Structures are given as C-alpha cells and as structure tokens.
Amino acid sequence: MSEQKLILVVDDDPDLVEAVSMKLEAKNYRVAKAYDGVEAMDRIKEEKPALVVLDVMMPRKNGWDVCEEIKNDAGLKDIAVVLLTAVADSVKTTSYTHHDGKTTLADDYIPKPIDLDELMEIVSDHCS
Amino acid sequence: MVWIGQFSQNTHALFPVCQALSLQRINMVCAGLHRQKTHYYFSGCLESRYQEVAARLAADDSDISFPGFVTQVSVYPHRNRFQVPGILVEMLGSAGVPFHHLVSSPAVVSVIVDACFQDRMITLLENTFDLPCSHTPYIQEIDQDISALLKKYPETRSTYEEEKIKTYGIQVIQKKHLLYMHGGVDQLIQTMQTRMPPMTSEEIFHLVSVVQVSGPVYDACFVVEPDSIKDGDDVSVDLITFHGPHFGDRYRILQTALNCLDEDRIPFLVAACAGASISLVVPSGRGIAAQSALEKGFEAP
C-alpha cells in the first residue's frame, strides 16, 4: 500500500481548516494544521509535508511571505504550495486586480470561497 | 471589542439590533440569539471603534445592556467533544470569572469576558488545556495585521457587491435534540453533570450557545445527539450551519439569514455566530426547507 501523503492546511479560519482537513482525510491523506504563518513555517520545517494549502491573509506572517520562504529554501522548495486567494473571478463588480497565484512562486491557486472538490483535484494533481 | 446584550418580549419584531447594525454596515464579531415563545435573548460583539454605536443603541432601548469593553477568547479545535465547553464553563465558574457569551462553531468555542479578565483568562487556559506554544499567549490586533498586509499587497483587498453572499456550502444536520438550561453557572454545571454524558465519554455536541441574561443568570442551549441527554424536556431540532470566507467584511450575513427564514415562515430557535460560521436551529423537519430558504440569499459552490 502506498504511503499516505502529508498535507499541511494553513488558514486563520479554524472552521475552514477543519472542513478542508475532513475532506482530505476522507481522501486518505494525512493532515497537519496551522493557524498562522509563523506556525506554518514551524510545521513545514518539522514535518516536510508533500503539499501546503496556504491562505494569504493571516496574522503574524502572511501567505505570500510563507510561500516565498518555502520556495527560497533549498530544502523545502520541492513542497507544492496551493494558495487560497481572497476573491473569486466570478465576482460581478470589483475593484480587485487579481494577483495571479501563478506569477508568484506558488504552484497553484484556488479562489475563495473554495470549491472543496476542485481543491481535492488540485491536491491530487500535485501529489500524484 | 464591545458587547451588547438584549432581553426582549417583542418576538414579532425582526431583531432591531441586528437590523440597526446591518443598516449601518457594521459587522458583528460574534452573536447569539435565543428565541422562545414569549421572549428572546440577544448577545453580540462589535469592534471597539463602534463603542459609540453600542452606547447609542443602549441609550435608545432600555432592554439593551452595554457593559463596556470585552475580549473574545477562542479555543480550537474542539472536535465536538463535550469536554471543551464543559471544562470552560467549570473553569470560569470555579475561578469566579463572569462571561457574557459562550458560543461554538464547527471548530471553535469562543468565550466573551470583560477585557479586565483577559490576562486571567489566558492564565486559566494555560493551566487547564494543553496548548501548543505557538498559539499562546497570542493576542491578535485585528486592524494592525490587516493594515500591514494591505500596505505591502494592496491588491489583496477588495470592495464589491454581490447578488448572493457566497458560502462554502450550507450543511443540514437533522434530528438532533436541543437542551435548554436557564440559571446561574452552578446550575448550568449541575445540569450538565446530571443530564449530559460524562466529560470523559466520546459523546459529541453540535452547537453550544450560552448567553448572559442579567448578572449571574445565563440562558444556555446545547444541540446534541438524541441519545446524549437523560430525561427532560428537550426538543427535537434540525441544525443548519454555513460559513463564508470574509465574515469580517460581511455586515449583513445574520440579518439576511433571518430574513430568508422569515420570508418562508420558518421559525428559528437559536442563531449563533462564531468566527466565520453561522448556525441556525430550527424545529425538527424544517431543516431542508430552511436550507432552500437560505439559498435565496446565499450561494454555495
């Protein structure tokens, strides 16, 4: 039987962390959790997850900075990062200029509110 | 933050505090509404910059109390175990720390205490729970964190209008039991000990909301598995939960939810908001209808 991949879910909304974790566990992944950027970096260095689901707007250290730190560290840069961005493209009127996750160092991004099935597909693509 | 409490016998009015705050585009950090046949209890917290608004509401309505500055302390994840709210109520009771509101979401149990009890509360939690060192004592300055991020990444903030409020999905949990308790902390603890499963058991709860009525008197609601409660006058209910990604920007979520239910004449018994989540308790058998009613105001992926 293949080894269960470890996914780190990082968001300062504990309810979202719980919802994403339950879905990942149902898909047979192991899940670690962190609730801000500083805690996320600690967990990443300790546990070396296969993939990090990373929120952007978080206290103490935001997701962009966490992503930059991961990708600039030779020992961590192979960890896939999926950013949870703030606003969906489908919003009708917006003053938001979408910061495309792909122009950052992240491997993928998904807009909030996230579709959990879509997130599972993204995770599966990067973990296969 | 500031806390507002209200006891009213006017159950026909559509909760004037919620309406007033919604009209002024003021978001509540957390809230609770316990509705019974003859009266309702409301509890809500606003950011401290809305202190004057809270004072005005209290001045205009003698039913509203506004005691001053408060702190919200959240414990998570609770994994739905009875231990977390049970230990919190016992801890606060034995330490003599009064609280204004205790409310759960799917992952979080939040307690509102007067700001002067903040340090004591953190010490009590450190002594009672096994907390990771990265979590405590950490006090989030809401505005400070967000303004620092906005300076660096201005594109991460948006102002927009949408026809329906987006959610991560609306979940209906059917055929659970609602247990009401009313009284002082000692009575709550005694009732929890006699009617609920032992705290060491694996039994779970689905929602807890305890609202301060006046002084040391509380109104408490527990939504639990039907088999969890020993004899008593509990009510069969359905629970609806949903949460959205930017509750901090969404002043109209609770009011929209209550309006949706009211339009379809679906009565609710309890509404509770903590973190980014909303829980609504409706009479058993009305959960699916309530979900359909909410779809008029909310959108799920």
Side-chain angles (χ1 to χ4, degrees):
Chain A
M1 208 168 95
S2 63
E3 190 197 348
Q4 289 178 302
K5 296 273 175 67
L6 177 67
I7 312 294
L8 175 67
V9 183
V10 190
D11 198 306
D12 59 338
D13 172 359
D15 287 320
L16 178 63
V17 172
E18 206 61 19
V20 172
S21 301
M22 282 168 66
K23 193 86 179 175
L24 285 167
E25 280 165 356
K27 296 276 179 188
N28 215 23
Y29 293 104
R30 285 188 300 130
V31 179
K33 301 167 190 175
Y35 301 96
D36 64 54
V38 173
E39 194 188 4
M41 280 314 303
D42 289 348
R43 301 302 300 271
I44 289 164
K45 286 172 187 166
E46 271 169 33
E47 307 202 35
K48 302 269 178 18
L51 182 143
V52 183
V53 177
L54 183 63
D55 185 32
V56 172
M57 289 185 71
M58 290 186 297
R60 301 216 282 183
K61 185 178 281 185
N62 66 63
W64 302 119
D65 290 347
V66 172
C67 181
E68 206 172 305
E69 236 176 277
I70 295 170
K71 294 301 181 183
N72 287 333
D73 185 318
L76 305 176
K77 67 181 173 54
D78 292 336
I79 296 172
V81 176
V82 178
L83 284 176
L84 305 180
T85 59
V87 177
D89 291 327
S90 55
V91 170
K92 289 205 164 60
T93 59
T94 174
S95 59
Y96 181 80
T97 308
H98 205 290
H99 190 110
D100 186 347
K102 291 194 191 289
T103 66
T104 69
L105 296 166
D107 297 271
D108 218 327
Y109 77 98
I110 184 165
K112 282 186 172 183
I114 56 173
D115 179 331
L116 287 174
D117 291 331
E118 194 185 332
L119 177 61
M120 291 308 117
E121 278 177 29
I122 291 173
V123 170
S124 168
D125 288 347
H126 287 281
C127 286
S128 56
Chain B
M1 298 193 304
V2 291
W3 180 78
I4 302 171
Q6 185 181 28
F7 164 74
S8 178
Q9 292 181 316
N10 184 5
T11 52
H12 299 294
L14 263 175
F15 313 105
V17 172
C18 300
Q19 275 188 330
L21 294 174
S22 177
L23 284 171
Q24 293 176 69
R25 298 185 165 219
I26 295 173
N27 183 50
M28 280 180 279
V29 180
C30 67
L33 252 169
H34 295 190
R35 187 193 213 182
Q36 300 197 6
K37 278 181 187 161
T38 56
H39 56 272
Y40 71 85
Y41 301 107
F42 168 79
S43 167
C45 279
L46 314 177
E47 286 180 50
S48 47
R49 62 189 156 125
Y50 298 120
Q51 182 191 3
E52 282 181 19
V53 176
R56 253 197 326 270
L57 286 168
D60 291 345
D61 188 338
S62 59
D63 288 342
I64 296 175
S65 51
F66 162 53
F69 291 102
V70 293
T71 294
Q72 173 180 294
V73 183
S74 297
V75 176
Y76 54 85
H78 55 61
R79 298 199 176 278
N80 295 90
R81 290 172 306 180
F82 270 118
Q83 287 99 318
V84 178
I87 288 171
L88 278 171
V89 172
E90 277 192 341
M91 182 191 85
L92 293 164
S94 59
V97 175
F99 62 96
H100 296 296
H101 193 180
L102 184 146
V103 60
S104 71
S105 70
V108 176
V109 177
S110 295
V111 186
I112 307 298
V113 295
D114 283 330
C116 60
F117 288 113
Q118 178 177 294
D119 292 342
R120 184 135 180 245
M121 186 73 187
I122 288 171
T123 308
L124 284 168
L125 290 171
E126 283 174 336
N127 294 338
T128 309
F129 288 89
D130 180 18
L131 302 178
C133 56
S134 57
H135 276 188
T136 186
Y138 168 61
I139 298 160
Q140 183 179 351
E141 300 292 339
I142 299 173
D143 295 335
Q144 186 190 326
D145 284 325
I146 290 178
S147 14
L149 184 72
L150 293 182
K151 270 184 200 160
K152 196 169 177 187
Y153 303 105
E155 73 279 10
T156 58
R157 193 67 163 187
S158 62
T159 304
Y160 56 91
E161 296 290 334
E162 56 196 7
E163 286 169 11
K164 287 184 178 183
I165 298 169
K166 290 180 189 300
T167 72
Y168 290 111
I170 300 170
Q171 189 186 11
V172 181
I173 304 170
Q174 293 177 289
K175 293 181 182 167
K176 302 303 169 196
H177 276 207
L178 174 65
L179 172 63
Y180 271 119
M181 297 180 220
H182 193 89
V185 172
D186 289 346
Q187 283 169 281
L188 295 189
I189 294 169
Q190 196 187 5
T191 311
M192 286 166 77
Q193 283 170 346
T194 51
R195 295 201 56 204
M196 290 190 167
M199 282 200 243
T200 47
S201 77
E202 295 297 315
E203 299 274 356
I204 59 167
F205 71 91
H206 295 282
L207 175 71
V208 178
S209 179
V210 184
V211 172
Q212 185 183 35
V213 175
S214 67
V217 181
Y218 293 89
D219 196 69
C221 296
F222 282 77
V223 177
V224 295
E225 289 294 318
D227 300 339
S228 297
I229 308 175
K230 291 171 194 156
D231 48 56
D233 52 352
D234 48 280
V235 182
S236 186
V237 295
D238 291 347
L239 173 68
I240 298 115
T241 61
F242 60 95
H243 72 285
H246 295 288
F247 189 43
D249 301 337
R250 304 286 181 90
Y251 52 87
R252 63 194 170 101
I253 292 179
L254 180 58
Q255 192 59 38
T256 303
L258 300 182
N259 286 343
C260 285
L261 295 184
D262 188 63
E263 269 177 33
D264 283 16
R265 300 194 181 284
I266 298 169
F268 75 91
L269 306 168
V270 181
C273 314
S277 294
I278 293 207
S279 303
L280 298 164
V281 180
V282 298
S284 187
R286 306 299 300 274
I288 299 297
Q291 185 184 31
S292 304
L294 289 168
E295 282 166 4
K296 292 174 190 163
F298 298 89
E299 183 183 311

